[in-house]
Amino acid sequence: MNESLLRDLVPEVIGVLVRRGADFAAAEDAVQEALVEAVRGWPAGEPRDPKGWLVTVAWRKFLDAVRADTSRRRREERVEAEPAPGPGEGADDTLQLYFLCAHPSLTPASAVALTLRAVGGLTTRQIARAYLVPEATMAQRISRAKRTVSGVRLDRPGDVATVLRVLYLVFNEGYSGDVDLAAEAIRLTRQLAARTHHEEVAGLLALMLLHHARRAARTGPDGSLVPLAEQDRGRWDTSLIAEGIDILQAALARDRLGEFQAQAAIAALHADARAAEETDWVQIVEWYDELVRLTDSPVVRLNRAVAVGEADGPRAGLAALAELDPALPRHTAVAAYLHERDGDPVTAARLYAEAARSAPTLPERDHLTRQAARLNSRLRG
């Protein structure tokens, strides 16, 4: 098999698929799958027209992916916009697909990335953003995962922890990203909770419900972001909050703490406060300390810096922030907020404007731009 020829043909074949109507990312994925087929089949004999063969197979892979995506979206459309309290419905094939993609032959990180792309419906860019890595790096990871499972039977399901990580990331993208997948993630997590008494499954379900309860208040009529402290708490879904807290308390009573339970505990403390000024920030910092111990995540440390700033004052929050990498996403936005609270509007305005330029979503960019404009207007006046 002429591997050099294959590499040379890739851009041409992608171009053909794009001209036929595929977007670039989908064309790239389809060609990668066609290459896997070539690696498996061409050693027995290279086709007379390698380019034509690749175009035909890649186009078929693309159409298969489109049909699968259409089927997935139809399933999502059958899910109510707001998930009703109560036990999950009988499991369907979607949850089983999550387990099969979390194959034991893959590392957990690769299994999560592959499942998000193949079943969760997220783009490579969205997955890369969730993992804080460049898009090219994530594309390579997904391609390697596809190659790894291309020659194995998908009859050995992965573990619950990997599936939970996938559901968590799908929910996060649905909650704050471009594609509405939050209700579907909750539906599948309910199914998983009905099938197991795993504490972290319960913790994740509680976390999703507590966050989803605030969804209606997260944006204004014009689609603008409404920060937690400014949200109309009368618009929060109290039935989802009550269900989430009940599920969390039952999980915590088993005394096997995990990161999703700790995150849900933080969300529950926010939900329990009748007004922003009544938030128990001291206890929230304590839960963040538990999360740092469990995950050592830079994102958790960033959120902890905000909580420290609320509990112990903005100077303490800035000191905690100074220990983190300034390149961390949203680091600049947090610094702007803490500087404003510390009485330094000049620095805060500059940082808000800087953070807006690198904001991951349009609503967040607009919010940060408005914050900078508000402070600059005050300074001029």
Side-chain angles (χ1 to χ4, degrees):
M1 181 182 63
N2 191 333
E3 295 184 4
S4 177
L5 172 64
L6 278 176
R7 286 194 298 270
D8 292 341
L9 288 174
V10 166
E12 297 182 43
V13 177
I14 290 176
V16 171
L17 267 62
V18 169
R19 288 192 294 275
R20 288 186 178 183
D23 64 66
F24 185 83
E28 187 178 43
D29 286 344
V31 172
Q32 288 289 346
E33 293 188 27
L35 290 176
V36 171
E37 294 286 339
V39 169
R40 286 200 302 222
W42 285 18
E46 188 173 302
R48 285 180 295 177
D49 181 7
K51 179 181 175 181
W53 188 96
L54 282 173
V55 168
T56 300
V57 175
W59 183 247
R60 187 175 68 243
K61 296 290 185 182
F62 168 72
L63 293 177
D64 288 344
V66 169
R67 283 191 287 268
D69 186 62
T70 300
S71 297
R72 178 185 61 78
R73 291 184 184 280
R74 285 174 180 165
R75 288 197 302 269
E76 290 173 10
E77 289 171 359
R78 292 196 294 267
V79 180
E80 293 182 356
E82 298 296 325
E89 61 192 70
D92 62 16
D93 61 341
T94 307
L95 187 58
Q96 184 63 17
L97 285 173
Y98 273 68
F99 273 96
L100 291 177
C101 284
H103 197 271
S105 65
L106 296 172
T107 65
S110 294
V112 169
L114 177 62
T115 313
L116 289 171
R117 186 72 185 92
V119 187
L122 303 191
T123 65
T124 303
R125 178 175 298 177
Q126 289 169 322
I127 301 168
R129 189 172 66 207
Y131 270 90
L132 308 180
V133 299
E135 185 177 354
T137 300
M138 184 53 65
Q140 291 174 355
R141 183 180 299 176
I142 293 171
S143 294
R144 285 196 300 270
K146 289 178 179 179
R147 287 196 297 271
T148 299
V149 300
S150 64
V152 301
R153 289 176 58 84
L154 293 179
D155 56 358
R156 297 167 56 205
D159 65 352
V160 171
T162 300
V163 174
L164 284 181
R165 178 64 50 189
V166 174
L167 290 169
Y168 173 67
L169 292 173
V170 169
F171 176 81
N172 279 348
E173 192 60 42
Y175 188 67
S176 61
D178 304 324
V179 183
D180 185 0
L181 295 169
E184 173 71 353
I186 291 175
R187 184 181 75 87
L188 293 173
T189 307
R190 283 194 188 282
Q191 290 182 1
L192 189 55
R195 291 167 50 177
T196 178
H197 294 292
H198 195 294
E199 293 81 9
E200 279 291 83
V201 175
L204 179 58
L205 179 57
L207 175 64
M208 289 178 173
L209 295 174
L210 289 164
H211 277 305
H212 209 66
R214 302 200 299 261
R215 183 171 188 167
R218 291 184 68 248
T219 55
D222 59 352
S224 60
L225 279 182
V226 180
L228 177 60
E230 300 172 19
Q231 288 176 15
D232 178 1
R233 299 184 179 220
R235 300 183 65 197
W236 290 1
D237 188 326
T238 55
S239 62
L240 286 183
I241 290 173
E243 184 188 5
I245 289 175
D246 285 347
I247 292 171
L248 173 63
Q249 288 175 339
L252 291 174
R254 300 173 202 163
D255 198 25
R256 296 181 63 182
L257 183 65
E259 63 173 298
F260 294 127
Q261 294 168 73
Q263 287 191 56
I266 293 169
L269 287 167
H270 284 298
D272 193 48
R274 291 174 297 179
E277 55 271 18
E278 296 180 19
T279 305
D280 189 346
W281 286 106
V282 172
Q283 193 173 170
I284 286 176
V285 171
E286 292 174 355
W287 277 111
Y288 272 121
D289 289 339
E290 290 287 348
L291 263 177
V292 169
R293 180 182 63 81
L294 290 165
T295 68
D296 196 29
S297 162
V299 175
V300 170
R301 291 182 181 274
L302 182 68
N303 291 334
R304 179 185 178 277
V306 176
V308 168
E310 299 289 351
D312 301 327
R315 294 284 175 90
L318 286 168
L321 188 65
E323 299 175 2
L324 304 178
D325 183 355
L328 190 65
R330 297 189 173 90
H331 184 284
T332 306
V334 170
Y337 173 75
L338 291 172
H339 276 290
E340 181 182 0
R341 289 206 56 231
D342 194 38
D344 185 358
V346 174
T347 301
R350 175 178 58 79
L351 291 172
Y352 276 130
E354 181 182 335
R357 289 191 290 271
S358 59
T361 66
L362 182 59
E364 190 170 344
R365 186 195 69 186
D366 291 345
H367 171 72
L368 293 167
T369 300
R370 285 193 296 271
Q371 296 296 89
R374 171 180 57 82
L375 290 180
N376 283 326
S377 177
R378 184 188 304 171
L379 289 168
R380 286 192 298 268

